């Protein structure tokens, strides 16, 4: 009876090109546009690779790169998890940033930056590991 | 073990379910159960015993996130359909509004 598809919830995409990728809900539209309840998610397109202690600074920088995406997804195509990701993406990602290609690219670049700095702090380690299936 | 439980509490569950069917709101079926959990309308989920285990754990996970009780019905989907008064099988159902029944108060000691 508790609403759990709220902003900052970590979810896994189930369908589409990004199936199997982890994402975080940025904004949810419960009464949707016209018919379907959906939400705006920002997720990881390419996970950062495993960084070992032996790596040089240049290599760790290269390995910690994250490629992000922004998408509107129906709730039915998400698997919610018990994890949350407290990263502030509301000012970066908005519905109108999906209207045109370059706006989408800038939104994705900005989320990439925020996600990368979160990855480097070492928190939310579950979110940045690839789901094996 | 199953036969022993079937006597008293089982009949009372059936009675309560019949009352919900008559006076309350419910949805039957996996897709609508998940939908009712997502928009936090469901108050109690009942799963039959032969629900496939992956689906059962998925419903239980959603219910854990939504803090909704799950009751494992003693009986398979045929029995659960009959208990709902339907002529088809029901593998999982979600009670949205119990109506006159007290099924929500008496059941979730169970989980």
């Amino acid at each position: 009876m508790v609403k759990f598809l709220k902003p900052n919830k970590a979810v896994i995409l189930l369908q589409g090109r990004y199936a199997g990728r982890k994402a975080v809900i940025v904004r949810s539209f419960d009464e949707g546009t016209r018919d379907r309840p959906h939400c705006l998610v920002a997720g990881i397109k390419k996970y950062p690779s495993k960084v070992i202690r032996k790596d040089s600074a240049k290599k760790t920088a290269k390995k910690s790169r994250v490629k992000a995406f922004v998408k509107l997804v129906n709730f039915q195509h998400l698997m919610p998890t018990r994890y949350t990701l407290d990263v502030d993406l509301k000012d970066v990602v908005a519905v109108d940033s999906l209207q045109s290609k370059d706006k989408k690219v800038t939104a994705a670049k900005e989320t990439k930056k925020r996600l990368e700095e979160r990855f480097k702090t070492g928190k939310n380690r579950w979110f940045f590991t690839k789901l094996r299936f | 073990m199953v036969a022993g439980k079937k006597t008293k509490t089982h009949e009372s569950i059936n009675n309560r379910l019949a009352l919900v069917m008559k006076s309350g709101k419910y949805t039957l079926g996996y897709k609508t159960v998940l939908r009712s959990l997502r928009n936090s309308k469901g108050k109690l989920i009942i799963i039959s015993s032969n629900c496939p285990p992956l689906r059962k754990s998925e419903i239980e996970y959603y219910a854990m996130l939504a803090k909704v009780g799950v009751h494992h019905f003693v009986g398979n989907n045929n029995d659960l359909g009959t208990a709902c008064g339907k002529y088809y099988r029901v593998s999982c159902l979600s009670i949205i509004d119990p109506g006159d029944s007290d099924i929500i108060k008496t059941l979730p000691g169970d989980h």
Side-chain angles (χ1 to χ4, degrees):
Chain A
M1 243 184 308
V2 170
K3 227 187 123 16
F4 51 88
L5 286 170
K6 290 207 269 236
N8 292 332
K9 189 102 181 130
V11 295
I12 301 180
L13 263 59
L14 294 173
Q15 305 274 8
R17 195 156 51 113
Y18 299 114
R21 302 254 182 276
K22 297 183 188 166
V24 59
I25 296 182
V26 176
R27 224 190 114 182
S28 81
F29 306 89
D30 291 322
E31 286 316 308
T33 48
R34 283 177 291 120
D35 43 8
R36 53 194 182 100
H38 56 282
C39 62
L40 188 56
V41 294
I44 303 182
K45 193 151 113 177
K46 192 150 111 169
Y47 289 92
S49 1
K50 203 162 168 54
V51 173
I52 51 180
R53 209 154 50 115
K54 232 168 52 160
D55 289 334
S56 61
K58 196 165 85 156
K59 241 191 172 165
T60 34
K62 193 155 199 242
K63 277 192 183 177
S64 319
R65 284 198 301 208
V66 168
K67 191 145 167 64
F69 67 89
V70 171
K71 194 170 166 49
L72 276 176
V73 188
N74 193 337
F75 283 147
Q76 210 168 7
H77 304 142
L78 295 175
M79 179 72 203
T81 63
R82 61 183 169 93
Y83 299 97
T84 54
L85 188 74
D86 227 340
V87 64
D88 191 20
L89 285 171
K90 265 202 239 337
D91 47 336
V92 166
V93 175
V95 182
D96 59 326
S97 64
L98 286 171
Q99 306 296 46
S100 75
K101 182 81 185 252
D102 43 306
K103 277 202 236 171
K104 207 198 271 203
V105 165
T106 44
K109 279 212 173 92
E110 186 58 42
T111 51
K112 164 194 158 75
K113 211 182 318 183
R114 304 254 172 108
L115 288 178
E116 262 179 18
E117 60 186 56
R118 180 54 68 91
F119 172 66
K120 290 197 176 108
T121 65
K123 295 203 205 129
N124 308 115
R125 184 114 5 130
W126 176 85
F127 187 76
F128 292 103
T129 47
K130 192 161 155 180
L131 187 69
R132 315 242 354 143
F133 61 94
Chain B
M1 176 191 71
V2 170
K5 191 171 175 204
K6 239 178 187 293
T7 43
K8 255 176 46 182
T9 41
H10 189 70
E11 280 155 20
S12 71
I13 292 169
N14 281 6
N15 291 342
R16 295 203 176 93
L17 250 187
L19 196 46
V20 175
M21 297 294 135
K22 223 172 21 168
S23 63
K25 286 208 198 36
Y26 56 92
T27 78
L28 309 172
Y30 169 67
K31 266 168 87 168
T32 55
V33 161
L34 287 189
R35 207 177 288 168
S36 75
L37 282 169
R38 264 185 225 120
N39 55 17
S40 54
K41 291 251 173 50
K43 303 221 172 15
L44 177 66
I45 312 290
I46 301 181
I47 308 183
S48 72
S49 65
N50 64 346
C51 187
L54 182 60
R55 186 178 290 192
K56 179 159 45 170
S57 22
E58 187 180 357
I59 296 179
E60 284 172 353
Y61 193 79
Y62 269 78
M64 175 269 289
L65 288 175
K67 300 209 208 323
V68 168
V70 168
H71 179 247
H72 296 101
F73 188 74
V74 176
N76 60 3
N77 47 7
N78 281 312
D79 300 337
L80 188 50
T82 312
C84 297
K86 308 287 179 193
Y87 292 111
Y88 46 80
R89 305 170 240 286
V90 167
S91 188
C92 42
L93 70 97
S94 159
I95 296 178
I96 296 178
D97 175 17
D100 298 326
S101 175
D102 58 350
I103 194 172
I104 308 266
K105 297 184 210 55
T106 56
L107 228 34
D110 180 302
H111 218 276

